[in-house]
C-alpha cells in the first residue's frame, strides 16, 4: 500500500506541467526603450525644452539614457532616480510627491536614498503589469517633465496609457 501511494504521488508530480512554476512576463526591449526615449525627447523639444530621459526595465536596470545638449549633469541621475521611484512604487512620481506632502505617514519616503519624489517618473504598464519605468528631468519643472514622460507612452501601443 505504501509503495502504491508513493508511486501515485510521484506520478502526479511527473504529470504536472513543468512550466507551471514559471511565470510568463512581458519584457521591455531595447527597441521599445529607444522609441520611448525618442518620443519623450521629441515632445519636450517641440516645447523648446531640453531633457534627459532614462528608461529602466522591470528589474530596475537602465535600458537606455538620452541627454539633450546643454542639460545640466545632475539631471542624468535625477531622471534615473525618477524612473526607479516610479518602478519601485508602481506610481506616477508627481502623484506620489503630492501624496507625500499631504500625508505625514508618507513623508518618510523622502528619506529613502534611491527614491526621488519629483514629477517626471512613470511606471510602464502592460496589461496592468509593470514592465519598466521612464524618468524625465531637466524640462523646467515637475509638470513639464511629467508631460514629456506621458507623451512618450503613446510610442508603444502595447503599453497601458494610464498609470496607477
Amino acid at each position: 500500500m505504501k509503495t502504491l501511494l508513493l508511486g501515485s504521488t510521484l506520478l502526479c508530480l511527473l504529470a504536472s506541467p513543468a512550466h507551471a512554476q514559471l511565470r510568463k512576463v512581458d519584457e521591455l526591449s531595447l527597441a521599445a526603450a529607444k522609441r520611448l526615449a525618442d518620443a519623450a525627447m521629441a515632445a519636450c523639444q517641440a516645447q523648446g525644452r531640453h531633457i534627459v530621459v532614462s528608461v529602466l526595465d522591470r528589474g530596475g536596470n537602465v535600458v537606455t539614457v538620452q541627454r539633450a545638449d546643454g542639460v545640466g549633469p545632475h539631471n542624468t541621475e535625477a531622471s534615473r532616480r525618477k524612473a526607479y521611484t516610479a518602478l519601485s512604487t508602481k506610481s506616477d512620481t508627481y502623484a506620489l510627491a503630492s501624496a507625500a506632502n499631504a500625508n505625514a505617514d508618507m513623508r518618510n519616503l523622502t528619506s529613502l536614498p534611491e527614491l526621488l519624489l519629483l514629477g517626471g517618473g512613470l511606471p510602464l504598464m502592460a496589461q496592468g503589469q509593470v514592465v519598466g519605468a521612464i524618468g524625465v528631468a531637466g524640462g523646467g519643472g515637475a509638470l513639464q517633465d511629467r508631460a514629456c514622460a506621458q507623451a512618450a507612452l503613446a510610442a508603444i501601443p502595447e503599453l497601458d496609457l494610464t498609470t496607477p
Side-chain angles (χ1 to χ4, degrees), residues 27-44 51-57 63-66 122-125 131-136 147-161:
E27 293 291 336
L28 186 67
S29 69
L30 175 59
K34 285 181 178 181
R35 280 196 313 233
L36 286 163
D38 287 343
M41 295 288 280
C44 273
I51 62 163
V52 177
V53 58
S54 295
V55 180
L56 309 182
D57 67 12
V63 180
T64 192
V65 175
Q66 287 188 32
L122 297 174
L124 301 173
M125 311 289 287
V131 296
I134 186 170
V136 172
C148 293
Q150 285 177 319
L153 298 182
I156 308 296
E158 296 84 2
L159 291 177
D160 302 343
L161 292 180

Side-chain angles (χ1 to χ4, degrees), residues 32-116:
K34 285 181 178 181
R35 280 196 313 233
L36 286 163
D38 287 343
M41 295 288 280
C44 273
Q45 285 174 347
Q47 299 172 15
R49 300 183 185 287
H50 303 284
I51 62 163
V52 177
V53 58
S54 295
V55 180
L56 309 182
D57 67 12
R58 71 179 333 88
N61 302 296
V62 174
V63 180
T64 192
V65 175
Q66 287 188 32
R67 183 187 66 80
D69 295 338
V71 178
H74 65 284
N75 289 301
T76 301
E77 182 62 10
S79 72
R80 186 201 61 80
R81 286 180 56 199
K82 288 179 183 186
Y84 180 85
T85 302
L87 176 74
S88 180
T89 63
K90 299 177 177 80
S91 301
D92 172 337
T93 58
Y94 184 81
L96 187 65
S98 297
N101 284 332
N103 182 340
D105 289 337
M106 292 183 65
R107 285 196 191 109
N108 66 344
L109 291 175
T110 61
S111 67
L112 295 174
E114 277 298 302
L115 299 187
L116 185 58

